[in-house]
Amino acid sequence: MDAIPTWAFYLAAAVLGLELGGLATIFIQRWIDEQPILKPSGSRCPSCGKTLGWRDTVPLLSFLLLRGRCRHCGERIGAQYLLVELACMAWSLAAAHAYGLSPEWPVYLVLGVMLIAGSVIDFETFLLPDRITLGGAGLALAASFVLEEGPGWQDALLGAAVGALLFWILQQLYRLWRGQEGLGTGDIKLMAMIGAVTGLAGLPLTILVSSLTGAVGAVVYAIRPGKDGIRGRIPYGPFLSLGCLIYLLYGQQIMRWWES
């Protein structure tokens, strides 16, 4: 960091976060629409089907210059695209502030963007792609061999195993109690990813944060128009992801405060 001005590092972090956010929006839309993720053709407007040029897909800037509308048909572009890009930029800046110009920053940046993308998909479909959950678990385990901060490979492997096993047990218990699914298999795979990121010690705080925020989310879902009350389904993946991101940023400080 001494050789690079702080402002330049944060500017680069913001730009990189926006670019990854743009890629995340493409992944989200193509996965939901069941299109090939790596298809050679460019992005298309979901309303008119016109192929979008590079000027139409510059993260944040294109949305602002086009005033949130398609250049070809004038239909509104969903705010989801902008929100995902801004969320990824915010995460990139937060991770840059927490870890500086270190190997941890790009690794946790990518893992965080994957969690954001998975959360949006879970909100939309109540599903979590294996490319994110299992792919993220593999990336986190591989990174644990080289990163100085965070769990070592043994702790990462133990965290992944315990996290997935705990949620598998909860899934089976709920199935026996209610005779129906209450926890998706995607959440079990997500916990394998999160456990590999945080290690065993990070699981309690992650689950606590997800439980508290999930309870708030359940209330919000209950009062939304068209919902069938508190018994309606809510996606749990976004709240687990939020807990993981908070742990990556503030987990050590919170745990030191708790133990003091």
Side-chain angles (χ1 to χ4, degrees):
M1 281 290 289
D2 295 336
I4 302 177
T6 302
W7 66 266
F9 172 56
Y10 284 118
L11 177 61
V15 172
L16 182 57
L18 282 174
E19 289 296 329
L20 290 177
L23 293 176
T25 61
I26 294 174
F27 176 89
I28 291 167
Q29 198 58 50
R30 291 185 178 180
W31 194 91
I32 292 176
D33 293 342
E34 299 183 347
Q35 298 177 355
I37 303 299
L38 300 176
K39 67 178 182 179
S41 58
S43 299
R44 296 178 180 273
C45 171
S47 297
C48 65
K50 292 282 189 180
T51 300
L52 303 179
W54 68 269
R55 294 181 301 166
D56 306 315
T57 57
V58 178
L60 181 60
L61 187 59
S62 292
F63 188 94
L64 296 177
L65 291 178
L66 294 172
R67 299 181 180 180
R69 294 183 179 274
C70 172
R71 181 190 304 276
H72 304 287
C73 65
E75 286 294 322
R76 286 191 176 277
I77 301 172
Q80 171 185 296
Y81 296 93
L82 179 62
L83 293 176
V84 170
E85 292 169 359
L86 291 176
C88 291
M89 181 183 71
W91 170 247
S92 181
L93 289 170
H97 178 72
Y99 294 97
L101 188 57
S102 66
E104 284 75 14
W105 171 59
V107 171
Y108 291 144
L109 169 58
V110 172
L111 288 169
V113 170
M114 294 173 72
L115 289 174
I116 291 171
S119 296
V120 174
I121 291 174
D122 201 11
F123 271 125
E124 293 286 336
T125 67
F126 290 91
L127 297 171
L128 285 163
D130 287 349
R131 296 188 185 202
I132 290 178
T133 56
L134 300 183
L139 174 59
L141 288 172
S144 67
F145 284 91
V146 296
L147 296 183
E148 295 183 2
E149 296 189 38
W153 71 268
Q154 292 174 313
D155 190 20
L157 186 60
L158 185 60
V162 171
L165 179 61
L166 174 61
F167 270 56
W168 179 82
I169 292 174
L170 291 175
Q171 181 194 55
Q172 300 307 311
L173 290 176
Y174 189 91
R175 183 182 295 168
L176 289 173
W177 175 43
R178 298 295 299 271
Q180 61 185 16
E181 293 291 342
L183 190 67
T185 303
D187 293 323
I188 298 173
K189 297 175 183 178
L190 179 62
M191 280 305 298
M193 174 185 177
I194 290 175
V197 173
T198 67
L200 185 61
L203 290 178
L205 179 59
T206 299
I207 295 173
L208 175 61
V209 171
S210 69
S211 299
L212 295 176
T213 55
V216 175
V219 174
V220 173
Y221 264 69
I223 62 178
R224 286 178 62 193
K227 297 297 179 181
D228 56 353
I230 197 68
R231 295 181 182 275
R233 297 172 60 201
I234 66 167
Y236 196 37
F239 304 105
L240 288 171
S241 298
L242 178 60
C244 179
L245 296 181
I246 289 177
Y247 177 82
L248 288 178
L249 294 179
Y250 308 112
Q252 297 304 318
Q253 297 94 310
I254 293 174
M255 293 175 72
R256 283 195 296 266
W257 169 80
W258 182 262
E259 294 172 356
S260 63

